[in-house]
Amino acid sequence: DDLRRCLDGIARQRTDEDVETLIVDSGSRDGSRELAQSRGARVLEVDASGFRHGATRNLAAAQARGDLLVFTTQDAYAADEHWLERLCAPLRTDGDVAGVYGRQLPHADASPPERFFLDFLYGPLPRVQRVKDAADLSLQTTLFSNVNSAIRRSFWERFSFADELFFAEDQDWSRRVLLAGYAIRYEPEAAVYHSHAYSLTSAFKRFFDTGASAERGFLAGPDSGAALRSEALCYAREELAWLARTGRRRWILYAVLYELGKFAGVQLGARHRRLPLWLKRRFSFYPAYWEQQAELERESASL
């Protein structure tokens, strides 16, 4: 159902450009592959056990024929018929912009903490992100999401996604293009609906994986750890104030537990090298990844 909604959103876009749709399927058995093909999409298949976010997107980009590459996920759908044009427009007019990403709006049933999170990251105001050097790398400057993004093929050919990354391939990509002197643009008018109904446990796992990959993204700067803690404290204060101001006080206790779980996940993920394998498997959404990494380390040590 998510995929059908996503494809319907693509089909209703108003654009003079030819639109080619490629879908990467990692072993679905619910009719998604057949649905995609019935809508005219090309389906590329990958093995679920070896799935990587970076490698998957590189596969699709290599197979695509267009000069502009647009990335989204099956659980996101365009907010209106102008999404695609608005997302791609800056790439046609500004040669200094390596990539554009758009707003993510919450679904109607999204919880207040999820609504606040999305508005905090993807608000109503446009912005251009640049850095002078690694000292400028932060959550704000490296933010980029392949849930709703577009890049030029020429930039992907120079800066492909990291094949080995199991998570946050978009943050790693933005860090590299920013350090190369290019800009990232946020375009709020190019919006999709996309939010998650995380439990306390799944939120912890999601942010553990975020922290584990953040050393190649927003934690790549020299003082990023201290900056993140300060940012998290500010975020928590603003969220609690927003809950109180908007008549959602009954959510405050849940929000405190929810945000503590997310923060603990990020902090533990950032320190994953100190953790035993069994704990990383338990904390992550991708236990197979950690098993494969441990096997590679054992093979390397035996050489």
Side-chain angles (χ1 to χ4, degrees), residues 228-239:
L228 179 64
R229 290 189 291 273
S230 176
E231 182 90 25
L233 185 60
C234 178
Y235 176 91
R237 285 198 299 261
E238 290 184 15
E239 181 179 8

Side-chain angles (χ1 to χ4, degrees), residues 5 23 43 54 114 117 136 141 152 177 299:
R5 187 172 58 182
I23 292 177
V43 178
E114 180 72 358
F117 175 74
D136 291 335
T141 57
R152 289 190 188 89
V177 298
E299 291 177 358

Side-chain angles (χ1 to χ4, degrees), residues 122-135:
Y122 311 105
L125 300 178
R127 56 181 176 264
V128 176
Q129 297 158 210
R130 298 179 185 274
V131 303
K132 294 179 180 178
D133 51 39

Side-chain angles (χ1 to χ4, degrees), residues 3 7 21 23 31-43:
L3 178 60
L7 292 172
T21 304
I23 292 177
S32 291
R33 184 176 183 275
E34 293 76 14
L35 170 64
Q37 290 174 329
S38 73
R39 300 296 183 87
R42 294 171 57 198
V43 178

Side-chain angles (χ1 to χ4, degrees), residues 159-262:
F159 303 95
S160 61
F161 299 110
D163 275 336
E164 74 278 10
L165 280 184
F166 74 110
F167 198 72
E169 82 297 333
D170 38 18
Q171 303 285 306
D172 169 75
W173 184 85
S174 67
R175 172 187 58 85
R176 287 185 284 124
V177 298
L178 288 167
L179 289 175
Y182 297 102
I184 298 290
R185 178 163 168 172
Y186 170 63
E187 179 46 70
E189 294 299 314
V192 298
Y193 285 97
H194 176 260
S195 57
H196 294 287
Y198 288 130
S199 66
L200 295 178
T201 299
S202 59
F204 171 86
K205 289 187 174 185
R206 163 69 168 77
F207 281 83
F208 175 83
D209 292 332
T210 296
S213 56
E215 62 191 6
R216 292 174 62 168
F218 62 85
L219 288 180
D223 299 316
S224 55
L228 179 64
R229 290 189 291 273
S230 176
E231 182 90 25
L233 185 60
C234 178
Y235 176 91
R237 285 198 299 261
E238 290 184 15
E239 181 179 8
L240 294 178
W242 176 78
L243 289 170
R245 188 172 62 251
T246 57
R248 296 179 171 95
R249 291 178 182 272
R250 68 185 181 88
W251 281 91
I252 288 178
L253 178 58
Y254 178 85
V256 168
L257 297 174
Y258 188 72
E259 301 304 346
L260 283 174
K262 286 162 57 177

Side-chain angles (χ1 to χ4, degrees), residues 5-6 26-27 39 57 74 107 126 138 143-144 165 211 215 218 220 244 256 275 293 296:
R5 187 172 58 182
C6 175
S26 56
R39 300 296 183 87
R57 284 159 178 79
Q74 86 289 342
H107 295 309
S138 68
L143 185 59
F144 188 75
L165 280 184
E215 62 191 6
F218 62 85
V256 168
L275 303 179
Q293 289 299 109
L296 289 174

Side-chain angles (χ1 to χ4, degrees), residues 42-89:
R42 294 171 57 198
V43 178
L44 311 174
E45 297 187 34
V46 297
D47 182 40
S49 64
F51 176 84
R52 297 283 187 277
H53 281 284
T56 297
R57 284 159 178 79
N58 283 335
L59 172 64
Q63 293 289 323
R65 295 188 291 265
D67 293 328
L68 299 182
L69 305 174
V70 175
F71 298 91
T72 189
T73 53
Q74 86 289 342
D75 59 345
Y77 66 98
D80 58 39
E81 66 272 22
H82 304 295
W83 158 71
L84 193 58
E85 276 296 303
R86 290 169 177 165
L87 187 66
C88 294

